[in-house]
């Protein structure tokens, strides 16, 4: 088989190398969102960003395997997605309180927050953009008959981790 990796590329990568590449891509995604935030009137950005990300979350519902209305299903999805999103080693945890409630701890600062901080955005701007970015997760949960909300995030400046509560509606 011909080597099509190109100059400077490898055929195989370690988990940490891939994790670093994905974190960089997520930081770029965060910077795209912030670029729109910086050039749009705040009320327009708020309206359209929430609408767009909610729609994105609704589309994720169709790809969700597992039973709708199951806290564990959504928690497992969030761990799988955010295990890579977090730029440090994955020590994320789910505490299943019961069949109707779970608490997820993402135990390191996410790449999106790091991207916004790298841009020099103020803490309140980072917190705001974090909330906007979460609309995709909120819609995903909603479409599965669940609700989710963050007790706190690494964007608030007081925590290095995020705590997400998932509950049955």
């Amino acid at each position: 088989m011909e080597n099509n990796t190109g100059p400077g590329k490898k055929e195989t990568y370690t988990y940490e190398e891939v994790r670093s590449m994905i974190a960089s891509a997520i930081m770029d995604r965060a910077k795209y969102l912030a670029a729109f935030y910086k050039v749009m009137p705040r009320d327009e950005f708020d309206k359209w960003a929430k609408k767009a990300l909610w729609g994105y979350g609704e589309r994720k519902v169709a790809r969700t395997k597992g039973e709708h209305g199951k806290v564990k299903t959504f928690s497992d999805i969030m761990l799988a997605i955010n295990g890579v999103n977090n730029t440090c080693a994955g020590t994320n945890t789910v505490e299943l309180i019961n069949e109707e409630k779970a608490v997820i701890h993402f135990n390191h600062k996410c790449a999106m927050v790091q991207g916004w901080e790298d841009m020099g955005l103020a803490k309140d701007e980072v917190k705001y953009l974090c909330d906007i970015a979460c609309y995709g997760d909120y819609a995903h949960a909603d479409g599965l008959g669940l609700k989710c909300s963050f007790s706190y995030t690494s964007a608030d400046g007081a925590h290095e981790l995020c705590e997400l509560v998932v509950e049955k509606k």
Side-chain angles (χ1 to χ4, degrees), residues 72-109:
K72 182 165 179 4
T73 298
F74 186 74
S75 299
D76 289 346
I77 291 166
M78 293 301 290
L79 277 185
I81 293 167
N82 290 294
V84 175
N85 185 359
N86 290 338
T87 55
C88 299
T91 57
N92 302 328
T93 59
V94 173
E95 178 186 356
L96 286 171
I97 308 298
N98 54 45
E99 288 185 13
E100 301 207 355
K101 183 176 183 178
V103 178
I104 305 171
H105 289 108
F106 303 110
N107 291 322
H108 300 284
K109 186 177 293 189

Side-chain angles (χ1 to χ4, degrees), residues 22-37:
I22 292 171
S24 291
I26 291 168
M27 282 186 226
D28 278 348
R29 187 180 91 186
K31 291 174 183 179
Y32 281 113
L33 185 63
F36 282 106
Y37 161 74

Side-chain angles (χ1 to χ4, degrees), residues 21-39 45 49 53 56 85 87 109-121 125-134 154-155:
M21 287 183 254
I22 292 171
S24 291
I26 291 168
M27 282 186 226
D28 278 348
R29 187 180 91 186
K31 291 174 183 179
Y32 281 113
L33 185 63
F36 282 106
Y37 161 74
K38 288 294 203 180
V39 299
F45 174 80
L53 288 163
Y56 174 70
N85 185 359
T87 55
K109 186 177 293 189
C110 83
M112 292 189 83
V113 169
Q114 287 182 327
W116 296 320
E117 288 175 348
D118 289 352
M119 290 178 72
L121 297 179
E125 292 176 305
V126 172
K127 188 172 172 26
Y128 171 71
L129 287 172
C130 178
D131 182 54
I132 293 291
C134 291
S154 62

Side-chain angles (χ1 to χ4, degrees), residues 4 6-7 11 20 27 29 33 36 51 59 69 102 142 144 162:
N4 291 323
E11 288 201 30
S20 176
M27 282 186 226
R29 187 180 91 186
L33 185 63
F36 282 106
K51 184 177 176 105
R59 285 187 293 282
D142 184 69
L144 295 175
C162 303

